[in-house]
Structures are given as C-alpha cells and as structure tokens.
Amino acid sequence: MAAPAISMPSSSSKTESYVDNKRKEDIRQANIVAARAVADAVRTSLGPKGMDKMISTANGEVIITNDGATILNKMEVLQPAAKMLVELSKSQDAAAGDGTTTVVVIAGALLKQCMSLLSAGIHPTVISDSLHKAANKAIDVLTAMAVPVELSDRESLIKSASTSLNSKVVSQYSTLLAPMAVDAVLSVVDPSKPDLVDLRDIKIVKKLGGTVDDTELVKGLVFDKKVSHAAGGPTRVENAKIAVIQFQISPPKTDIEQSIVVSDYTQMDRILKEERNYILGMIKKIRATGCNVLLIQKSILRDAVTDLSLHYLAKAKILVVKDVERDDIEFITSTLNCLPIANIEHFRAEKLGHADLVEEVSLGDGKIVKITGIKDMGRTTNVLVRGSNQLVLDEAERSLHDALCVVRCLVSKRFLVAGGGAPEIELSRQLGAWAKVLHGMEGYCVKSFAEALEVIPYTLAENAGLNPIAIVTELRNRHAQGEVNAGINVRKGQITNILEENVVQPLLVSTSAITLATECVRMILKIDDIVTVR
Amino acid sequence: MAIERIFKDEASEEKGERARMASFVGAMAIADLVKTTLGPKGMDKILQSTGRGREVTVTNDGATILKSLHIDNAAAKVLVDISKVQDDEVGDGTTSVVVLAGELLREAEKLVAAKIHPMTIISGYRMAAECARHALLQKVVDNKEDAETFRSDLTKIAMTTLSSKILCQDKDHFAKLAVDAVMRLKGSTNLESIQIIKKPGGSLKDSFLDDGFILDKKIGIGQPKRIENANILVANTAMDTDKVKIYGARVRVDSMSKVAEIEGAEKEKMREKVQKIISHGINCFVNRQLIYNFPEELFADAGILAIEHADFDGIERLALVTGGEIASTFDNPETVKLGHCKLIEEIMIGEDKLIRFSGVQMGEACTIVLRGASHHVLDEAERSLHDALCVLSQTVNDSRVLFGGGWPEMIMAKEVDELARKTPGKKSHAIEAFSRALLAIPTIIADNAGLDSAELVAQLRAEHHKEGCNAGIDVISGSVGDMAELGISEAFKVKQAVLLSATEAAEMILRVDEIITCAPRQRENRM
C-alpha cells in the first residue's frame, strides 16, 4: 500500500507512537547493555596481570595488544552507544595517553549502577546531574590526595612511567623503557613553554630484529632508510655537512611536454654527454659547498636520483639517503638545524646542517642510517625500538607511546597519585561519606557512583587471580583506618602501602578518566531514542 | 460502480476524513518525536545514519533532528519546514515551534471530531494568535537604552538558550563567550565573522574567545613564525608552474641542454611570479592552492610568511576580516587590496599548532575555540553555541525581552481564554482549544523534567490569575518560581516567530482535504 509510512489510519495503532514510555526504556536499556558489553570485552586487560587480546583484522593481520584504545579501535562495533564507548577510549588516549582501559571499565561500572537507579524510577536527568556533581567532587578528592612532583625528580617520573609499562606485554623491559621515556620527553621540553610537550618531536623508529633490550634512545637522527649503495658510495662520514634537498639530481624534465628530436647517431652521443655534464655540473656545485651528506626528498614527478647521478655522487664521496618523505622534512630540518634546499641555485653552505658522524648501521636483516653529534640540535629526539617479531615490535611501540604520554601528563600537570586501586577506593570511601550528607535523589545517586568506582580494585584483584571480594573489603577496611595509600600489590598478592612500592601514576590520567567516563555515561543516559536518518 | 483509474500505477489518493486523519497523525508523530527534547531537562536523540560509515550524531537540537529524518508524510514535511525556517530566521525555538504546531493540530482533531468545520477552527485560531501576540507585546521589556541592563538581559537569554543544551553545565562561561562575541558585531547579524574552531581534547570549560582570526594551517619551513604589522596578500593562484593548458602542447628540442634551459625558464617564470608577489610590499602570503618547495624557499629567503593550501572558507573569511581582496594576478600591485593585521603568530591549542592573526582590520571578527572530550560533544556544542549566537544577534536588533520557563505561554493562554469567553459562536471552541495547546508547552517541560505536570501547571494558572505575576516553572527545584529572580529570559522575537509560524503551519495542514501521493520510488526500510 502506498499510504505514507507514518500515517496510521486506525485509531488502535495510535498507541504505537513515539511517546510510548516502554520504547524509551527499551532504547535506554539497549544502549546500556551494548555499552557494557564493550566494557566487559576489555575488562580483563586491566592491570599488571591483565591479559592480552589477539585481534585478527579483516585483512588477515594479527595484532596482540593490551592497550584498551587499540583493542576498541579495531573492534568493529555498530551499536551507536557502543561506539560512544570506543570514542571515549580514544578521547582518553588523546587527553592523557594512558588509562584507556580504565576509563572504559569505569564507564561500564557506572552504567551498571545507572541501570538499577533507572529501574528504581529515578529520572535520567537527575542521575545525570548527580553524576556530574559526584565527578567534580571526585576530582577535588583526587587533587587533595595528589603528591606534587618536580621535573627534576627523575626517580618519580621513572616510577610513574614504569607503572604504565608494567601492565603491558613488554613489562619485563620496564626498567629500560621507563627511563628512556622520561629522558625523551624531558629533552623536548621547551624552556620557554614548560607546560607543553609536542609528542611529534619524539620520533619512534621501529626496526625488526634483536630484542626489546636493544631499544635505544638516539641523541640525533635515525632513518629507517638505506644509504644508496648503487655505486659504492661512502656509508660512514665524519664531520658531516648535511644538506636536505627538495630537488632532483636527474636529467631535466619540464612541466611542458617535451621531446628531444634525434636526427642522427652522432647526436645521440652528444645527448648522452650533455646529460652527464648536466648532472656533473650539479654535483660540482654541491661539492663546492663542502656538503658530504645528501638527504633527498621523495619525488613523484620524476626519479629523485638516477644511477648515473648516484655514481657521480659516490665518486664525489657524498653519502646519499633518498626517498625522504615530505612530511618528515620539517622534523629533519628542525633536528639538524638546517634549511631545506629546493633549487640547485640556492645551494649555499649556510643552509647545511653539521654533525659529527653519519653512518649506516646494520641491524639484523636491515640497515638504518644514524646521524649523531649534531651541532645546535633542535629539541627533538629519536627512539629506536627493536623487537624479535613484528607483533612484539608494534606492542612495544604502543607501550612506549603510553609511557611517553604518562610523562607528558606529568609535565603539564605536575602531580602524582598512588596506583594499584588506592585512589579509587579512597574516592569511593570519601564520596560514600559525602553521599550521606546530601539530600534526596542526589545522595542516592552519589552513593551509586561511589560504589561503581570500586570496580577498579575489584577487577585488578580478579585479573591477578586473587579473591576480589576479600581484597576489596580488606582495602576498604584499611582506608577506613586512614591508610590513604593502601592499594593492591599485585606482585605480592596482598595489600600494602602502594606509594612505597613505587606504583604511581599521573594525576591527569586519573582525573581525566573520571571526568571523561562520567561525561560519556551522562550522554548515554540522556538519549531516549535512536532515529535512523539519511 | 467502476471508475476508471485516473492515476498512475501505485499513485494513490486519500480524501476527506482519511486525508485529514493522515496529516494529523503524521504531524503529531513528528511533534511527539521531538517533544522529549524540549526544555532544560529534555533528552537527546541518537541519529544513526544509514549512509556509508553509519555515522552517529547525538543531538538535542530540534532542527538537526528533523532535518535528517526520513519523512514520507506530507504534513510532517510541513512541520520540518517550519522548523528549518525558524532555524534560519531566529536560530532558536526550533523544537517549540514544532511542538506547538503539533499541539494545535491535536486540539483541532478533537474539534473536527466534534463536527466543527475546519474553516471555523482556522478563523478561531487566527483570532487567538492575534490576541496572544498582543498579550505578549504588552508584557515585553525593552532595555535597549540602558547598556548595563541590556547586557545582563543578553546574558540571561544566552543562559536560557544554553540551559537546554549540552553546554548547560558551563552555561555561565558560554553565555559570556556568546555575549562577548555578539557585542563585537555591533548590531550586524552576519555571523560569518564569528569563526568557530573545534579542537578535540581538554574539556568544554577550556573553550575560549579569541579576538583575532585563527587559521588551522602550518607556516612554511624556515619562515618567520611571528610577524608584527603584517601586510597580507590573500591569493588563489597556482604556485607550481604556469602551465600551457592546451592539450597536446609540446616542445621539440634537439639537445639535453635545451631541456635544461626550458626547465630553467620555467623556474625563472616562477621566480618572477614570486618576485611580483613580493613586490606588493607584503610580509605574509596566503594561498588557497599548494605552494611548492621552490617558491616556498624563495618566500623563506625573502623573509615572507607563506601559508599554503588554506581552505576556501578560510581564505574568504581571512580576506573579509583583514580587509583584503583575493588576488589571482599580480601584475598591478597598485590595484590589489592588501589585508592588514597587527600580529601574526603561531599558537598551540591542545596538540595542534595554528596561526593567529590578531589586531585585524575588521574589529568585529573573532574566533571561538571549542574544546571537548570527543567529536560528538564538539559537534553538539557547536550547534548549541550557534543557536545562542543567532538568538543574541537577533536580540541586539530587536531588544524586546520576555521571561522564560513557560511564562509567556501562561500569559498568552490567559488572554486567549478571556477572548474565548467574550467570543460568541463556535469559534470560541477553537479559541479555547488554542489556549489549551499553549498550555501544553509548560506541561511538556514539566513532564520532561520528571515533574508532576498537572499539579505544576494548575499552580501556575492560579499564580497567573494575579496581575503582574512573574511565575514560571523552575525545573531545577521542581516548583513554581519567580522568573525575574531566577534570571530566565527569552527573546520576544523567538516567541513571536514560534507563535505565528506554528499557527500558520497548523492552519495549512487543517485546510488539507485531499492527499495525492505520486508513485513512490522504491525504497526499503522506511521508518
């Protein structure tokens, strides 16, 4: 029948309209269930004894990871509310870099509490407002608990970086990676803007082979590129004068279509000679400035270098690295403190960068180029990550990224809190006490919020194979007696003063986990309908 | 009796009662759909796109919801249209207008069932609308003369608008932002010069107003990162090479050196072009197209800040705010209008570097940088802020202000009731119905907040029986409160537009007595 879809001629079908409260409840229920399913999926990867997930992507690639953001990112969820949880994890990744699993687990626990509040007949907006208040209060409590940290206090920074690394696949290397992350971040802090760290100034180069042990921080520049060997050029240059060029050392090519007309064979020789002279001329100009290392930008228009030019460059004892991506040019030039050169006419000595040593190093099956001892080096750092297989390598990179983020958080907000579930239990205790002085629905909702936070120590204990109920009740007890820093020591399987165990994390990670999780839950609560649109 | 088919296959015709029924039900379904988003405690909707990517939008904005709906019902489309017009015209009240029209139709349906002719209903509605407008006009407050009070009025309106949106937790902050931005416009309603930049990260509270222009681009390598007293040339020109654009044009040469010469000549041409640009006496060059490495280096050598690949929107806005013109030829430096600004510098917002032009010629220009947890939040925040900006800019021109919280509806309902009592004949039923429809708005606001609407609206009615009463629904405390004390205000223009367009839409739908549906395109999954 061609009657309009929403027209309902008979009066009986009018009850089917959208005001029906049953439908709203159903939608909310469905959203919460879907979102909780997502949270449950990553729950087991929380904490130092959390398990990893193996994800096999549609194109057959396999990823093994413990990083919540990565797991969720690869999960192809369709349900809109579940998608919001994935987004939530991404936001935490952007805001703090670490705690991506924590934030989702907290959101899941909050949603579980909200379900029971909703079924008790509390209006969603009331729950939403109370959650907002509770979250604000939680931030105050956390800030009061936090211990200030100085950037000069390298020990504390390393401690927090290793807390983050301890829950990863590469945890046994945390003693190596943690100081590395701290040094890398500290070396790129700009004294004029002490609160800002641009992680793009830290370049992570992955190279298969060796073990994670061989990962190193390079004071200089590392390329995952080979030196061009075509004509036996040098692979090691001391006192290097480096030029970054954006033009091509190859026969000329015009933008206008052109063709060279050859009418007899003597001309062929001439043309060949001309080509040679042309290239030789270029290389002479380069040589004249004293340049002995060339980094050549990749070109899509024509060959960046030809065999012929490589030959001459090798003769001139110039080390050549070709196919440098254009995106990397800015990083390279700021590291080398030089200027890119776009035309041979502009090839001048003052545009060159200087370094003590440029060499090609063979690592396992591949080779990399290292530039060290750079004069007036910019505020950038390179980390060379090694691993025995691609999976470990990728996971090591992700873990290192998390550790870098943790240190970055500390640079922008210089406070630490204890780890091991201690802050969550303390929050739960204080909010629980606060809930008792609140009136009406608010008090009820804040109490649920406090209960939801216990999910973190509970999950930590559960993942570590401990008895979660015994541990959580014991923790509560210790906190009630005023041991603010008592937390779960997963290694020993008991409760200790977690601050003494050097398990610490940045305040920013905890606060942003709570605010973002709350914001997301509030958004899900306020939704009462899913409308399909174009 | 066999009638020959007049219509094409699958096309259909509905007449009289059935047609009216269809349009009533369709319009009411739409109204009911957005009804729950009304008021400070309104709910949000997820809009799930059926297109590629299955994008998800979470919104509370009536116009956005309605705009993206699949709709097959003719009457429902009329409602979507009035919501769109309301959005373009005043920016806010997009939900209210649809809800009011829906309620008017709901009342009309009852009247039609009681055998009152639609035309009688229409004329009753018209009288009632006119009377309601007069009631509002008598109650408006105009504080245009007093700058201080006017500003506080604007802030109150902004807060009221924002309180039903995602920004409600930080409404003080955003109300101030919006008022500052609109006051800079000095009465113009051109929101073009207020630029909104969304950057994920941070929280909504970190959003700020910047009194310059911010361009989300990078400065070329090796070029100055900070320029004072900048002369800006905004251009849209190819900076690779001036190609011969004739297909098949080619050059024949007989030696390699000639090719090199041609290449050199091309370079030379580029250099000339750059020289020409530089000779305009500029120190900042913004191009819509790419600037290749070679010219970039030339600019760097000349100490000129060159920005490539700025988007079209950005370019036009930049030209507007700096007072320049977009140039594409550079032969006559004297005819090109350059833009000026006091300072160009690179700033960092969150993780990204952006370029700020401050002290621009057009003083009205400003940029609002929104920060938020995710794209959903940012998009919704932008919509909300846009609503607030629209309403404020309209209010600057028409500074008449009313209270909010269901107060205007109560005032109107009371006057319309009076009128109904005085009017003889069947029309009085329609007028009475109009008053009931008006009362539905405070009822829905209360319902959405989970309050006892019947009780509250009755209390309100009693309060309004007194002269000069400011009572409205205080959703936060869940009782009847004094709107003047709570600082809940709304723009007169919004209310008037809601009243008039809702009435007109209802009237239009009422007049319908036949729907002819043309043969539909095949489509699955209709809602």
Side-chain angles (χ1 to χ4, degrees):
Chain A
M1 177 176 133
I6 0 177
S7 76
M8 282 163 284
S10 66
S11 58
S12 66
S13 60
K14 248 188 269 174
T15 49
E16 238 180 78
S17 65
Y18 297 100
V19 273
D20 192 358
N21 265 329
K22 183 88 176 66
R23 182 176 155 85
K24 278 190 222 161
E25 287 298 310
D26 286 350
I27 296 268
R28 220 171 257 134
Q29 198 99 358
N31 281 342
I32 292 180
V33 169
R36 278 186 56 204
V38 171
D40 281 342
V42 292
R43 213 171 80 101
T44 52
S45 66
L46 188 79
K49 295 239 170 142
M51 290 294 149
D52 298 349
K53 307 271 170 209
M54 185 182 256
I55 306 161
S56 79
T57 56
N59 51 15
E61 202 189 334
V62 174
I63 300 170
I64 296 178
T65 184
N66 184 289
D67 184 33
T70 314
I71 302 173
L72 290 173
N73 220 345
K74 300 283 173 194
M75 267 181 10
E76 286 175 10
V77 292
L78 278 178
Q79 215 280 342
K83 259 190 193 166
M84 289 172 67
L85 239 65
V86 177
E87 284 282 323
L88 165 72
S89 168
K90 270 191 212 154
S91 308
Q92 171 78 359
D93 201 22
D98 195 21
T100 48
T101 316
T102 315
V103 70
V104 176
V105 172
I106 293 182
L110 281 176
L111 284 172
K112 190 178 165 190
Q113 294 290 343
C114 288
M115 279 265 250
S116 57
L117 290 177
L118 283 174
S119 59
I122 302 178
H123 196 270
T125 51
V126 176
I127 304 178
S128 161
D129 288 352
S130 315
L131 288 186
H132 182 72
K133 267 191 195 151
N136 280 348
K137 177 80 180 170
I139 303 301
D140 292 345
V141 174
L142 271 180
T143 318
M145 275 178 78
V147 191
V149 63
E150 285 300 317
L151 284 190
S152 49
D153 184 5
R154 195 159 168 272
E155 283 302 308
S156 299
L157 298 184
I158 292 176
K159 272 188 229 162
S160 49
S162 41
T163 307
S164 158
L165 288 168
N166 271 337
S167 62
K168 313 282 172 188
V169 178
V170 293
S171 58
Q172 67 269 40
Y173 304 108
S174 63
T175 46
L176 174 82
L177 293 179
M180 204 176 280
V182 173
D183 290 344
V185 172
L186 291 186
S187 67
V188 298
V189 176
D190 188 347
S192 62
K193 289 183 219 152
D195 293 345
L196 285 176
V197 178
D198 192 350
L199 282 188
R200 271 167 295 189
D201 288 340
I202 300 172
K203 194 173 161 196
I204 299 180
V205 179
K206 294 185 284 181
K207 197 76 194 161
L208 198 62
T211 60
V212 181
D213 266 330
D214 301 328
T215 300
E216 58 179 330
L217 186 73
V218 181
K219 277 267 161 227
L221 200 58
V222 178
F223 288 105
D224 186 12
K225 292 268 183 324
K226 271 190 273 188
V227 167
S228 294
H229 284 289
T235 56
R236 182 187 159 90
V237 175
E238 281 177 40
N239 287 326
K241 288 181 180 165
I242 306 161
V244 179
I245 62 169
Q246 295 177 311
F247 60 91
Q248 299 83 23
I249 308 180
S250 57
K253 186 179 165 203
T254 55
D255 285 311
I256 281 187
E257 232 182 296
Q258 38 87 8
S259 55
I260 302 173
V261 183
V262 181
S263 48
D264 65 70
Y265 73 97
T266 52
Q267 281 187 347
M268 251 165 75
D269 278 349
R270 209 186 77 219
I271 286 167
L272 283 175
K273 215 161 91 198
E274 270 175 358
E275 186 184 335
R276 216 170 287 161
N277 281 342
Y278 179 80
I279 289 173
L280 212 56
M282 270 183 156
I283 290 169
K284 269 186 188 146
K285 275 182 200 154
I286 295 173
R287 189 70 212 154
T289 59
C291 163
N292 49 16
V293 175
L294 268 188
L295 308 178
I296 303 176
Q297 183 183 317
K298 203 172 196 167
S299 170
I300 45 165
L301 292 173
R302 63 197 224 207
D303 297 335
V305 278
T306 58
D307 287 346
L308 189 68
S309 55
L310 280 179
H311 173 77
Y312 284 121
L313 285 168
K315 279 262 180 68
K317 297 261 175 292
I318 295 176
L319 189 148
V320 180
V321 178
K322 59 180 184 181
D323 293 346
V324 177
E325 299 291 339
R326 192 182 178 198
D327 294 345
D328 290 341
I329 293 283
E330 184 159 11
F331 180 81
I332 293 168
T333 51
S334 62
T335 308
L336 293 175
N337 194 22
C338 65
L339 286 172
I341 304 162
N343 188 353
I344 185 75
E345 305 299 327
H346 297 180
F347 210 109
R348 287 190 297 271
E350 68 263 22
K351 289 194 174 178
L352 303 184
H354 300 267
D356 289 343
L357 180 66
V358 178
E359 62 172 340
E360 186 186 55
V361 187
S362 23
L363 291 170
D365 57 347
K367 286 178 179 168
I368 56 160
V369 178
K370 248 191 211 177
I371 302 178
T372 45
I374 298 167
K375 212 171 99 189
D376 300 329
M377 190 173 138
R379 299 203 159 271
T380 54
T381 302
N382 278 264
V383 180
L384 177 63
V385 181
R386 308 295 312 278
S388 53
N389 62 51
Q390 197 62 44
L391 297 177
V392 172
L393 197 59
D394 290 345
E395 179 67 7
E397 189 206 356
R398 280 190 291 270
S399 309
L400 190 61
H401 176 257
D402 279 7
L404 289 174
C405 287
V406 166
V407 184
R408 185 186 60 172
C409 289
L410 283 177
V411 171
S412 50
K413 205 171 177 185
R414 297 176 185 177
F415 286 99
L416 280 172
V417 289
E424 284 82 8
I425 276 288
E426 184 61 21
L427 275 181
S428 172
R429 194 182 68 78
Q430 295 207 17
L431 288 178
W434 187 57
K436 286 184 188 131
V437 297
L438 288 175
H439 294 287
M441 303 285 197
E442 254 174 29
Y444 202 65
C445 297
V446 171
K447 191 168 145 267
S448 299
F449 184 91
E451 275 167 23
L453 286 176
E454 282 186 358
V455 73
I456 297 289
Y458 187 92
T459 313
L460 273 180
E462 193 180 294
N463 287 349
L466 306 170
N467 181 351
I469 293 176
I471 291 281
V472 171
T473 44
E474 163 95 26
L475 254 184
R476 269 195 218 150
N477 188 6
R478 296 280 278 268
H479 275 262
Q481 284 164 15
E483 288 181 48
V484 188
N485 291 321
I488 305 172
N489 187 332
V490 175
R491 295 258 141 71
K492 290 187 189 150
Q494 64 193 41
I495 289 166
T496 53
N497 184 337
I498 209 78
L499 216 50
E500 283 168 12
E501 298 286 334
N502 293 341
V503 181
V504 284
Q505 62 192 39
L507 175 63
L508 192 64
V509 172
S510 298
T511 52
S512 101
I514 288 184
T515 41
L516 289 177
T518 317
E519 204 160 295
C520 179
V521 169
R522 290 179 56 210
M523 211 159 180
I524 292 179
L525 271 181
K526 281 193 84 179
I527 291 162
D528 71 344
D529 207 348
I530 297 179
V531 183
T532 324
V533 297
R534 281 188 272 276
Chain B
M1 185 173 73
I3 307 173
E4 217 168 302
R5 263 215 336 239
I6 310 171
F7 297 112
K8 211 175 141 185
D9 260 0
E10 285 190 80
S12 69
E13 179 189 29
E14 283 180 72
K15 281 189 173 170
E17 195 70 353
R18 269 179 71 85
R20 199 166 286 129
M21 209 58 183
S23 44
F24 280 165
V25 175
M28 276 190 271
I30 290 290
D32 283 343
L33 179 69
V34 291
K35 197 164 97 173
T36 54
T37 64
L38 196 70
K41 294 235 165 158
M43 293 289 153
D44 298 354
K45 307 268 171 208
I46 287 187
L47 305 182
Q48 187 170 37
S49 153
T50 45
R52 272 184 57 210
R54 304 190 70 83
E55 268 170 59
V56 171
T57 317
V58 179
T59 185
N60 179 284
D61 185 35
T64 312
I65 300 173
L66 294 175
K67 238 186 292 182
S68 26
L69 278 180
H70 281 301
I71 287 171
D72 256 353
N73 186 296
K77 273 193 185 144
V78 173
L79 288 197
V80 173
D81 265 349
I82 58 168
S83 160
K84 258 187 222 160
V85 169
Q86 178 85 4
D87 197 21
D88 296 343
E89 197 73 357
V90 282
D92 196 22
T94 49
T95 315
S96 312
V97 69
V98 174
V99 172
L100 185 56
E103 289 305 322
L104 285 174
L105 287 172
R106 200 188 300 279
E107 292 298 332
E109 191 192 1
K110 287 181 204 156
L111 294 176
V112 171
K115 304 281 181 239
I116 294 180
H117 193 273
M119 283 305 163
T120 317
I121 304 177
I122 290 171
S123 71
Y125 275 9
R126 275 202 195 146
M127 280 173 71
E130 195 49 37
C131 160
R133 204 171 81 89
H134 274 294
L136 282 188
L137 272 174
Q138 278 167 8
K139 296 280 181 181
V140 289
V141 187
D142 193 341
N143 286 325
K144 185 108 183 168
E145 307 310 318
D146 185 355
E148 196 64 27
T149 333
F150 185 49
R151 201 189 149 85
S152 86
D153 272 356
L154 283 182
T155 318
K156 277 182 205 162
I157 292 177
M159 296 237 277
T160 311
T161 305
L162 292 174
S163 65
S164 62
K165 312 279 157 118
I166 191 171
L167 302 175
C168 67
Q169 295 300 341
D170 308 308
K171 61 181 171 190
D172 296 343
H173 182 68
F174 282 99
K176 194 173 167 300
L177 266 184
V179 173
D180 282 346
V182 169
M183 288 307 252
R184 291 178 72 91
L185 290 176
K186 299 185 188 78
S188 106
T189 50
N190 179 14
L191 294 178
E192 281 274 291
S193 41
I194 301 178
Q195 188 196 17
I196 297 181
I197 287 187
K198 294 175 281 181
K199 281 276 158 210
S203 72
L204 285 171
K205 247 181 238 147
D206 301 332
S207 309
F208 61 92
L209 179 82
D210 198 286
D211 54 354
F213 179 83
I214 293 178
L215 196 64
D216 192 355
K217 285 289 157 217
K218 271 195 178 151
I219 297 177
I221 301 164
Q223 291 163 349
K225 304 268 182 212
R226 186 189 157 90
I227 290 185
E228 279 175 43
N229 291 324
N231 291 324
I232 307 159
L233 179 65
V234 185
N236 182 6
T237 180
M239 291 303 277
D240 41 357
T241 33
D242 286 340
K243 271 182 207 161
V244 180
K245 292 242 172 73
I246 306 166
Y247 178 74
R250 57 163 57 203
V251 183
R252 280 179 203 281
V253 288
D254 56 4
S255 77
M256 197 59 123
S257 59
K258 292 260 174 68
V259 180
E261 273 170 30
I262 294 174
E263 198 194 16
E266 278 176 348
K267 285 257 157 73
E268 203 48 49
K269 235 172 118 74
M270 195 70 246
R271 192 194 304 275
E272 265 173 35
K273 189 167 180 180
V274 173
Q275 274 312 324
K276 269 188 208 158
I277 293 173
I278 294 172
S279 68
H280 284 67
I282 55 163
N283 43 21
C284 172
F285 177 68
V286 184
N287 194 9
R288 200 190 85 72
Q289 299 179 24
L290 285 172
I291 301 178
Y292 281 67
N293 296 331
F294 178 63
E296 184 181 333
E297 195 188 3
L298 291 177
F299 282 124
D301 281 351
I304 289 176
L305 195 159
I307 300 163
E308 64 165 13
H309 208 200
D311 52 303
F312 213 84
D313 224 30
I315 282 285
E316 279 186 349
R317 234 186 262 250
L318 184 64
L320 178 80
V321 297
T322 56
E325 266 172 18
I326 299 175
S328 48
T329 50
F330 308 101
D331 292 328
N332 307 306
E334 59 284 351
T335 59
V336 175
K337 255 175 92 182
L338 295 180
H340 300 279
C341 82
K342 293 249 165 53
L343 178 68
I344 301 176
E345 62 183 337
E346 206 175 42
I347 52 165
M348 233 175 131
I349 300 176
E351 298 238 300
D352 295 315
K353 282 180 180 153
L354 302 121
I355 306 164
R356 175 164 70 195
F357 299 77
S358 42
V360 290
Q361 237 180 20
M362 195 166 126
E364 291 100 62
C366 60
T367 304
I368 294 175
V369 179
L370 285 179
R371 308 295 314 279
S374 70
H375 281 287
H376 294 158
V377 175
L378 282 177
D379 289 348
E380 179 66 2
E382 188 193 4
R383 283 191 288 270
S384 313
L385 196 60
H386 180 255
D387 279 5
L389 289 175
C390 280
V391 175
L392 288 180
S393 66
Q394 296 292 343
T395 317
V396 170
N397 287 335
D398 182 348
S399 60
R400 286 171 290 182
V401 173
L402 294 166
F403 291 121
W407 178 83
E409 282 81 12
M410 295 308 296
I411 294 281
M412 290 191 278
K414 190 182 158 204
E415 286 298 314
V416 173
D417 259 347
E418 289 288 320
L419 179 72
R421 253 174 259 162
K422 281 183 254 167
T423 314
K426 275 187 177 176
K427 263 188 242 169
S428 92
H429 289 290
I431 298 172
E432 227 183 322
F434 195 93
S435 131
R436 275 200 298 277
L438 283 171
L439 281 181
I441 298 232
T443 313
I444 293 169
I445 293 180
D447 272 339
N448 284 348
L451 304 172
D452 184 353
S453 57
E455 168 74 21
L456 272 178
V457 173
Q459 276 187 21
L460 261 185
R461 250 207 343 216
E463 284 287 325
H464 273 264
H465 209 66
K466 297 171 208 154
E467 206 50 47
C469 149
N470 295 332
I473 296 179
D474 177 5
V475 170
I476 311 300
S477 73
S479 58
V480 171
D482 187 334
M483 292 296 117
E485 273 170 32
L486 293 167
I488 299 174
S489 295
E490 273 177 272
F492 169 70
K493 210 167 169 189
V494 174
K495 275 292 154 206
Q496 177 181 291
V498 167
L499 180 69
L500 298 183
S501 34
T503 318
E504 270 169 31
E507 184 180 317
M508 210 148 70
I509 295 172
L510 265 174
R511 280 171 182 275
V512 172
D513 74 338
E514 176 161 341
I515 300 174
I516 300 171
T517 315
C518 298
R521 271 175 298 159
Q522 290 307 313
R523 200 198 280 154
E524 63 269 66
N525 252 344
R526 286 205 228 141
M527 60 164 284

